[in-house]
Amino acid sequence: MSKALVIVESPAKCKTISKYLGDGYVVESSIGHVRDLPPTAAEIPAEHKKKPWARLGVNVDEGFDPLYIIPKSKKAQVTKLKKLLKDVDTLYLATDEDREGEAIAWHLEQVLKPKIPVRRMVFSEITKSAINEALHDTRVIDQRLVSAQEARRILDRLFGYEVSPVLWRKVKPRLSAGRVQSVATRLIVDRERERIEFVSAGFWDVESKLSINADTTRKNGAGKIEAKLVELAGKRLASGKDFRNTTGQLKDALAVVLLDETKATRLANHLRSSEFRVSSVTEKPFTSRPYAPFITSSLQQEAARKLRFSAQRTMRVAQRLYENGYITYMRTDSTHLSGQAISAARSQIKELYGNDYVPDSPRTYSRKSKNAQEAHEAIRPAGESFRKPQDVRAELENDAHKLYELIWKRTVASQMKDALGVRTSVRIVADGGEDGEAVFSTSGKVIKFPGFLRAYVEGADDPDTELEDKEKILPHLVEGQSLDVVEVLPCGHTTQPPARFTEASLVKELEERGIGRPSTYASIIQTIQERGYVWKKGTALVPTFTAFAVINLLEQHLATLVDFDFTATMEDELDAIANGEHEARPWLHDFYFGQPGAKEGTAAVGLKALIGSGWEDIDARAVCSVQLGTNDNGNIVSARVGRYGAYVQVGDSDERATIPDEFPPDELSVDKAMSLISEAAKGDRVLGNDPGSGKPVYIKTGRFGPYVQLGDPELNDKGKIKKGAKPKMASLWPSMSLDTIDLDQALMLLSFPKTLGNHPDTGDEITAQDGRYGPYIKMGRDSRSLENHEQLNTITLQQAIDVFKQPKTRGRTSAAKAVIAVLGEHPDTGATISVKDGRFGPYVTDGVVNATVPKGRDPASLSLEESLDLIAVREQKMIEQGKDPRAKKVKKTVTKKVSKKAAAKKSSKSLSK
């Protein structure tokens, strides 16, 4: 009987697809890419190590040939695939139908070198009919898509490996640059700059509550109208949009009327006794059309708005829905729906809402944003007929059900009729006394036919409830009608700075600018957070001062590389390669080496020339500084990025202070900087001398707060601290104050770790210590947390022995003390999500997957959503390395090897018996 091997990308797909294909097929996963450029210098093959281009992993001197290797983490899987290939007569490469999936299929063919027929099998949903159809409608590998993916991979490698070293030398070590990551960071930094430059302005208006009959309104609220002042003496009232962000001044003071509190209060007092009369009533019909079905970016944006999901969380859940056959492929730029999908949607609309909601002909949608690509459908429920959300509720965990319902609603709504209604605008006039005639405005809206709104309202969970909210019904009004005054109030407002980007708004901005691919946005946002360029304040993305330094350097010296249009143009070029319009290698040559006759300083000179033209002359201090202004003495105060973090400094003096981690740049004013310096000065003084060593004892402040230090560091001839000669330090306890700490307290802090004695049974030394996350005692490799710092100071040897007698739960400390925070339950598994202090630092865990908390993040401030993202990223990396953390462990039976000599001896004894 003939057999076939089907190779997919993800292990999660194997079980589902195997069920559909039956016994004649073996389904196995490649676990992502099986070949790639060397991830580290250690994995560069020996024969290439000394070549000048080896560190890049791309032979830039000979046609930009990539140096592909099988990473160590993938060798076992490749061996397994080769073994399976020996027992089959057909190979199906069933990786995803996009550039990345096409490249994986090509790499598999190159690595496995099959001598049997090879067929490229593609599908956009994992259902029985789709798999069977794909099985009988195969094709060859599309070399254009492979070429485009390879060009992108080489491009990103050249960009990162050439630009990142400049950041290491001029900003600080271990930073990274990326073609899209750096531009995304620039967008966030630019927005923060706008907030820093923003000058707030105040303005007032007047709001009124009116009624057709005041007595009736007071009793039951019927006939009430709320109207806002919009004009005074023939001029429009100033609102927030009329002020300049950078000055707080009006853009055109002659075109508008600006009310302050005094004028607004006087006007409101006069209007309370004035006659209000309807001057005009205008009714206009309106039509609202349904939204297009989801693509990758719009799904991320709407899931953020409605479900509060991060982009990473959305893609993780969507991946599972796709792999388990609930939705179509979730990485797509296409809003197209197949005939099958349209038929399923129209049938379901008729069933749920009736014929009146089904349009005469199917709706079609076209993409308006730049760089739409790939021949996929939009993201929709899988299958020939859509399963309703209530029908799959028992099958899906909470997150998956929410996302499936969102996709289902959007898909069905996209094929429904328009919503129809009438919008009413009313203008009301009143005598404003000495300020002239006052004009108020109000509007109402009535939905005549809800259409698609019955199924889906953007940003709302319950369409029926939202329909009521979308209607604002006004009482019947006619021109000339008098209205009674219920209330007139002056209202003050201040202009607000531009809102920071959220994940959703950043995704939208990147997509509209044509930068990057929507399928990569989630990983890009995750990367810029892990690299320390951005942190989250609620849902807002806030740049660090490190991000400011990096963008300063790139803008001032490598401006082309963070130019929005240039980056978008590269996407156009990659699309042209995928379409067969351009050749990849000549384009890569022009990008790296430049074009003949190129103008100096432009992209046309090539990446190598841009990087090589005097980066040594870059003034590191200048690019790492952000001027805040001048202090009372006229000295410049700046925020700067140093090797160990950000700090503020007055001129070039010794007046400086560490900027706390996760401090919003727009809140760092000169006054705040001077306050930090003042506090630091309190914490940089001598408390006295240590009686034992005679060394001075200092109180200081650092990025993690105040601490005490014994003596000064010993320096070598180069002015650096000698190895092992760093002075002893200890953080202040929570009950201690920078202002009140004295020498005795400081010496007590420096006395830890303190030896309590030896265990009478084992002889092991027991010590009391103060760690980053609290006090504890230690005996050998065993440790236990203490209740508080006071116990640390008073605990005796016997008390410590008694603590160690208590049973220890999992972890190096007792469960109650190892846990920094418990955040809630995992939406998929129900497991408890907690933040813990581990041997190598803080980490988040669901009991199966442990993910390190990024450096610089306060583990105690992590949210449940952020922790889920960290766990998801770690889990994905483990899967890519062939280590599925949730796979059931099979206990292996180990057979002890017995030598021939031992076996013969045993046999001889047996015979003698």
Side-chain angles (χ1 to χ4, degrees), residues 190 335 505 624 645 665:
D190 280 352
T335 52
S505 60
C624 290

Side-chain angles (χ1 to χ4, degrees), residues 898-913:
V898 182
S899 68
K900 290 181 180 179
K901 188 175 180 180
K905 188 176 181 180
K906 185 176 180 181
S907 176
S908 176
K909 283 184 178 181
S910 178
L911 288 171
S912 66
K913 288 179 181 179

Side-chain angles (χ1 to χ4, degrees), residues 171-229:
V171 182
K172 65 179 185 179
R174 293 187 293 278
L175 295 178
S176 71
R179 181 176 57 89
V180 179
Q181 141 192 346
S182 297
V183 173
T185 304
R186 181 190 166 187
L187 284 168
I188 296 168
V189 168
D190 280 352
R191 182 60 55 87
E192 196 71 11
R193 287 168 173 165
E194 291 177 34
R195 292 175 64 87
I196 291 170
E197 294 172 1
F198 178 79
V199 177
S200 182
F203 61 97
W204 286 69
D205 59 23
V206 177
E207 296 179 0
S208 66
K209 290 184 180 179
L210 311 169
S211 71
I212 297 173
N213 185 302
D215 292 333
T216 302
T217 302
R218 290 191 185 98
K219 290 178 183 177
N220 57 27
K224 186 172 67 174
I225 302 164
E226 293 183 358
K228 189 175 180 179
L229 181 67

Side-chain angles (χ1 to χ4, degrees), residues 232 267-277 428-440:
L232 195 60
L267 178 60
N269 290 336
H270 180 84
L271 288 168
R272 291 190 186 102
S273 58
S274 295
E275 178 188 4
F276 282 72
R277 178 174 48 81
I428 302 164
V429 296
D431 176 21
E434 64 182 270
D435 294 305
E437 184 180 65
V439 179
F440 287 75

Side-chain angles (χ1 to χ4, degrees), residues 464-480:
D464 289 331
T465 301
E466 184 64 14
L467 274 176
E468 295 176 12
D469 293 342
K470 288 181 80 70
E471 287 193 329
K472 181 183 176 184
I473 302 173
L474 296 176
H476 179 67
L477 298 169
V478 296
E479 190 174 328

Side-chain angles (χ1 to χ4, degrees), residues 853-882:
V853 175
K855 189 177 180 181
R857 294 300 308 275
D858 177 7
S861 70
L862 283 175
S863 68
L864 176 61
E865 180 181 302
E866 290 169 327
S867 298
L868 289 172
D869 288 342
L870 291 172
I871 290 170
V873 171
R874 176 59 184 152
E875 183 177 351
Q876 185 60 37
K877 286 181 180 177
M878 292 175 72
I879 290 172
E880 289 172 357
Q881 295 167 359

Side-chain angles (χ1 to χ4, degrees), residues 887-905:
K888 291 184 179 179
K889 304 290 183 183
V890 180
K891 190 173 182 180
K892 294 182 179 179
T893 303
V894 180
T895 304
K896 187 175 180 180
K897 290 185 178 180
V898 182
S899 68
K900 290 181 180 179
K901 188 175 180 180
K905 188 176 181 180

Side-chain angles (χ1 to χ4, degrees), residues 157-173:
R157 170 57 70 97
L158 295 175
F159 189 111
Y161 274 45
E162 292 287 22
V163 180
S164 297
V166 178
L167 303 183
W168 304 341
R169 297 178 182 111
K170 296 300 179 179
V171 182
K172 65 179 185 179

